[in-house]
Amino acid sequence: QLELLKLALKLTMVQHVGSVTIQGRIKRRNLYLITLVLSLFLYIKVRHIDDRCSEKKAYAQIIATGGINNQIISAVNALLLVKYLNITVLLPLFSVQTGSKYATISLTEYFDEKHFNVVLKELGISLSVRPPSNCKEKTVLQKSSGRKFKEIITDLSAMRSNNANCQLIEIENQWGIRELDQDFNGYMKLFEAFKVRSSLYKIYENYKKELIAHPFIAIHARVEKSWPTLYFNSHEDIGIKDEIAGMVSHLKKINMKGVRNIFILSGRDCVAEIFDPLRSAGYVLQCLDSRTATFNHTGEVGRESYQKALVDSLIAFDADYFIGRYASSASYLLKIKRREKNVS
């Protein structure tokens, strides 16, 4: 039908060079009118078909909550799902913790939207600012932690087949997906989409250039008051002290080629007393809290601490050595990113 429309439009532009008789002019005028009517008919028909196709389209709204690194992981996993099923994605919603609840905020609070759009385009993922106004049918994909990739794909496929109208599928917190049906390079490319926004990147560049002492070891010290179950000891204060003691023991066992500078990734300032065992062992500690006014916060979880965590990770990625912890999404992300770079 589109090809017929093109042909009809071409016919209206053709100049008739035949008979100049009155009969010839009438025929030429009739041909013009017929092709014009045909053009209008086909135009309306094609528009109707396009509208019906758009109504059947599925859109995914990704919502991420939790710590900022948990949010990145869940957003990447959700993008893998929509890419696999060719679902158009809306700009993901991230969150900030206020007390015991999460409030959704724009992706731009943390990341570069333009870069995000470019990477998704390179990966062939369709992105839309908003769904059509008539797209009112909403379904929710259950949260996932540890489910298999193919099981979640089956659920998403069923959601699409059960409704012929325009769908908005809400995908929240796909934290742990097992047996990802994707290659490692494609998975890592999605992480690249979440480039920190320029103001945060400048903090990283300035700190790296002006303040950090090289060479250095980066250590993720999860010693802020959070969840007692994060530690091997059920008593949180004792568990935190054990965490630091374990770091000192680990540093003694492995060969760091005499490096004594340590950059601390933590929700607590590295001048805190809890880090005294590291100083007593002869290490020089640095962190963003004590040297950067932007992040000289009170330790409360919130927008500022999430932004600081992103800058911490940028600095740790450049470290000569990195020591993470077993229960941490931040450590997990740094581990796989540094593995791709072939560094310790």
Side-chain angles (χ1 to χ4, degrees):
Q1 286 175 320
L2 281 172
E3 291 304 316
L4 283 172
L5 175 59
K6 291 177 183 177
L7 177 60
L9 290 172
K10 284 180 181 178
L11 285 172
T12 63
M13 303 301 294
V14 171
Q15 295 295 323
H16 185 63
V17 294
S19 173
V20 293
T21 64
I22 293 174
Q23 187 180 5
R25 285 197 294 270
I26 291 173
K27 287 182 178 179
R28 185 170 58 186
R29 184 184 62 187
N30 289 344
L31 176 62
Y32 177 84
L33 290 173
I34 291 169
T35 53
L36 181 60
V37 171
L38 181 61
S39 298
L40 290 171
F41 171 76
L42 290 176
Y43 173 75
I44 293 169
K45 188 74 174 175
V46 171
R47 281 294 300 272
H48 177 64
I49 292 169
D50 286 346
D51 288 343
R52 285 189 299 162
C53 289
S54 66
E55 288 173 0
K56 293 181 181 180
K57 201 168 184 179
Y59 296 83
Q61 177 63 77
I62 297 170
I63 301 175
T65 62
I68 189 59
N69 289 288
N70 274 329
Q71 293 185 50
I72 294 171
I73 293 170
S74 67
V76 164
N77 289 341
L79 286 170
L80 275 177
L81 296 171
V82 300
K83 183 178 187 297
Y84 191 91
L85 289 176
N86 197 28
I87 299 174
T88 298
V89 66
L90 307 179
L91 198 65
L93 291 174
F94 277 70
S95 64
V96 60
Q97 187 173 347
T98 54
S100 60
K101 297 181 179 180
Y102 289 98
T104 56
I105 58 174
S106 170
L107 171 145
T108 56
E109 286 287 338
Y110 305 125
F111 307 106
D112 183 330
E113 182 180 351
K114 185 177 180 180
H115 179 79
F116 178 83
N117 295 344
V118 169
V119 174
L120 258 62
K121 186 176 181 180
E122 290 175 353
L123 291 171
I125 300 175
S126 299
L127 181 68
S128 179
V129 176
R130 62 182 65 84
S133 58
N134 62 345
C135 195
K136 297 178 181 178
E137 182 74 23
K138 186 175 84 170
T139 53
V140 180
L141 178 69
Q142 69 180 46
K143 296 180 182 180
S144 171
S145 183
R147 294 183 70 212
K148 293 181 179 180
F149 181 82
K150 290 182 179 179
E151 291 175 354
I152 305 172
I153 287 296
T154 300
D155 289 349
L156 267 175
S157 298
M159 287 179 182
R160 294 187 67 181
S161 62
N162 286 340
N163 195 324
N165 295 323
C166 178
Q167 285 180 284
L168 178 60
I169 303 173
E170 196 173 278
I171 303 176
E172 182 180 356
N173 293 346
Q174 300 299 308
W175 286 314
I177 298 180
R178 293 188 295 119
E179 301 177 15
L180 289 172
D181 190 19
Q182 300 286 333
D183 63 281
F184 181 73
N185 291 331
Y187 186 60
M188 294 306 298
K189 184 69 176 178
L190 279 169
F191 282 109
E192 291 178 17
F194 297 98
K195 177 183 177 182
V196 300
R197 70 184 200 191
S198 58
S199 59
L200 297 177
Y201 199 81
K202 285 178 182 177
I203 294 173
Y204 150 70
E205 288 184 317
N206 291 337
Y207 190 89
K208 181 182 175 182
K209 180 180 178 181
E210 304 292 340
L211 297 173
I212 195 72
H214 293 271
F216 71 101
I217 305 162
I219 292 181
H220 183 206
R222 188 74 180 267
V223 291
E224 62 271 19
K225 298 278 185 177
S226 52
W227 298 97
T229 53
L230 288 173
Y231 309 105
F232 289 111
N233 194 301
S234 58
H235 191 285
E236 189 174 37
D237 289 334
I238 296 175
I240 288 173
K241 289 180 180 179
D242 287 347
E243 183 98 350
I244 300 298
M247 292 174 188
V248 175
S249 176
H250 185 69
L251 287 166
K252 288 179 179 178
K253 290 178 181 177
I254 58 178
N255 178 22
M256 295 289 187
K257 298 182 180 179
V259 178
R260 311 303 289 177
N261 300 308
I262 291 180
F263 177 78
I264 300 288
L265 297 81
S266 177
R268 295 179 71 172
D269 197 316
C270 57
V271 300
E273 185 180 342
I274 190 69
F275 295 110
D276 280 350
L278 286 167
R279 280 186 282 269
S280 297
Y283 293 99
V284 179
L285 308 186
Q286 287 184 276
C287 60
L288 282 174
D289 275 351
S290 61
R291 303 291 294 275
T292 309
T294 307
F295 300 117
N296 188 19
H297 59 72
T298 59
E300 292 183 6
V301 175
R303 188 187 322 254
E304 188 181 83
S305 65
Y306 287 175
Q307 292 174 343
K308 174 188 173 295
L310 290 170
V311 180
D312 273 347
S313 292
L314 288 173
I315 295 169
F317 180 74
D318 292 335
D320 298 271
Y321 303 96
F322 172 67
I323 300 174
R325 74 184 310 276
Y326 76 99
S328 164
S329 54
S331 290
Y332 166 73
L333 283 183
L334 279 165
K335 179 184 73 174
I336 62 174
K337 287 178 179 180
R338 286 174 64 90
R339 183 181 81 176
E340 192 177 35
K341 189 183 175 184
N342 293 320
V343 290
S344 168

